[in-house]
Amino acid sequence: MTTKHLPVRLEAVIFDWAGTLVDFGSFAPTRVFVDAFSEFGMTVSLQQARGPMGMGKWDHIRTLCNDAGIAAQYRERFGRTPTDEDVTAIYERFLPMQIEKVARYSAPIPGAADVLRTLRGQGLKLGSCSGYPASVMRHVRERAEPEGIRLDCVVASDEVPRARPAPAMALHNVVALGLADVAGCVKVDDTTPGIEEGRRAGMWTVGLLLSGNAAGLSLEAFLALDEAGREAARQRARVELAAAGPHYLIDTIADLPAVLAQIDARLQAGERPQQS
């Protein structure tokens, strides 16, 4: 029996959180990264802070510290290139700042609660994972769940041995939700590491162009754009997300149900995510 003859149905959608379900523009982590580095005498722009978005937060800080310009600032102030111990010191300053501020930015993205309700009504299981550690995710959930953002499984970056772009968080969802086949899962994310995570896990992947880190737009800025402005933002995001090879690209989670219908049809036709 060949793989294409194995029966597979659409079973689950695994969501990212910031920039996907909550926090339009993914501002909570980026702004706090800027603030945390400033406390160590370093200037990090919002654009630089967005670069490694999607990774676990310690790895995110390590990647920023590997940047030549940021490392040079650190050497000028402390006389050495940032070590892993230095990264941990920045992370330990970042974490309480993130916990303090994250709920402020974690309003649901328009349409997210309705989409989750629709998918649950179709019998799909709803998983999730995040670059946030569990201590931060607790505050995100407390903010979002009363407004309809409830998932069957939530996996934080410090609850697996290796976070994004490795597949562990996505695969943890597969096990916890009792799913039959990774090919029946769809990973939805607004970052390159998050899409790569889904690809590495053998899932269909859907990238978000306008609600997340790639576009970096606040909800107010997004709503103020005319169609030409939105298309320019889409193109910038397409270029960034293309490296991870998403199967689909949509503007926001509100556009997801139509894509899931296409994926289900492709599964019934014998297609699998690993083949495209």
Side-chain angles (χ1 to χ4, degrees):
M1 180 183 290
T2 61
T3 301
K4 68 179 180 180
H5 293 138
L6 291 174
V8 179
R9 63 179 180 84
L10 187 61
E11 287 188 273
V13 183
I14 300 171
F15 296 93
D16 175 50
W17 280 79
T20 299
L21 293 172
V22 302
D23 186 7
F24 200 106
S26 195
F27 281 95
T30 49
R31 285 174 172 159
V32 178
F33 279 125
V34 171
D35 293 343
F37 273 84
S38 71
E39 296 211 351
F40 287 81
M42 290 177 285
T43 300
V44 175
S45 70
L46 199 61
Q47 183 177 1
Q48 285 176 308
R50 288 188 180 280
M53 194 61 66
M55 301 176 110
K57 301 314 176 193
W58 190 96
D59 292 324
H60 189 133
I61 294 170
R62 175 71 273 178
T63 301
L64 289 174
C65 285
N66 290 342
D67 177 87
I70 296 171
Q73 291 185 60
Y74 198 92
R75 280 194 302 273
E76 183 176 351
R77 184 169 179 84
F78 297 102
R80 64 181 181 275
T81 298
T83 65
D84 283 355
E85 289 74 21
D86 297 324
V87 170
T88 297
I90 298 172
Y91 175 80
E92 290 176 347
R93 185 68 195 97
F94 163 86
L95 189 56
M97 295 169 70
Q98 185 76 92
I99 290 172
E100 176 188 354
K101 298 182 179 182
V102 70
R104 185 187 314 169
Y105 296 105
S106 295
I109 287 172
D114 290 339
V115 167
L116 295 182
R117 192 178 305 113
T118 296
L119 302 187
R120 200 181 296 280
Q122 294 173 352
L124 295 175
K125 295 184 178 180
L126 306 178
S128 68
C129 50
S130 175
Y132 286 136
S135 58
V136 175
M137 273 308 306
R138 182 168 62 252
H139 292 272
V140 175
R141 294 177 70 182
E142 288 172 356
R143 169 69 172 83
E145 287 181 354
E147 298 188 53
I149 309 300
R150 298 183 183 89
L151 287 303
D152 302 320
C153 181
V154 180
V155 182
S157 61
D158 58 351
E159 294 178 321
V160 295
R162 187 174 179 183
R164 298 169 183 158
M169 287 194 291
L171 293 176
H172 186 108
N173 276 267
V174 173
V175 174
L177 295 173
L179 305 179
D181 196 319
V182 292
C185 301
V186 180
K187 176 70 199 304
V188 184
D189 208 292
D190 66 303
T191 68
T192 299
I195 294 168
E196 185 176 342
E197 169 192 28
R199 274 288 197 174
R200 289 177 181 270
M203 301 175 178
W204 299 95
T205 54
V206 179
L208 301 177
L209 293 170
L210 296 184
S211 67
N213 184 71
L217 297 168
S218 68
L219 179 58
E220 294 75 17
F222 166 74
L223 293 174
L225 290 175
D226 60 16
E227 185 51 41
R230 291 190 182 189
E231 184 53 36
R234 287 187 192 103
Q235 187 54 36
R236 293 195 304 271
R238 285 189 193 104
V239 170
E240 179 173 328
L241 297 178
H247 294 89
Y248 294 89
L249 291 168
I250 58 178
D251 285 354
T252 77
I253 189 176
D255 304 312
L256 183 62
V259 165
L260 295 183
Q262 293 179 46
I263 291 173
D264 191 43
R266 291 175 71 176
L267 282 171
Q268 299 313 309
E271 291 187 57
R272 299 297 179 259
Q274 301 91 335
Q275 298 168 340
S276 60

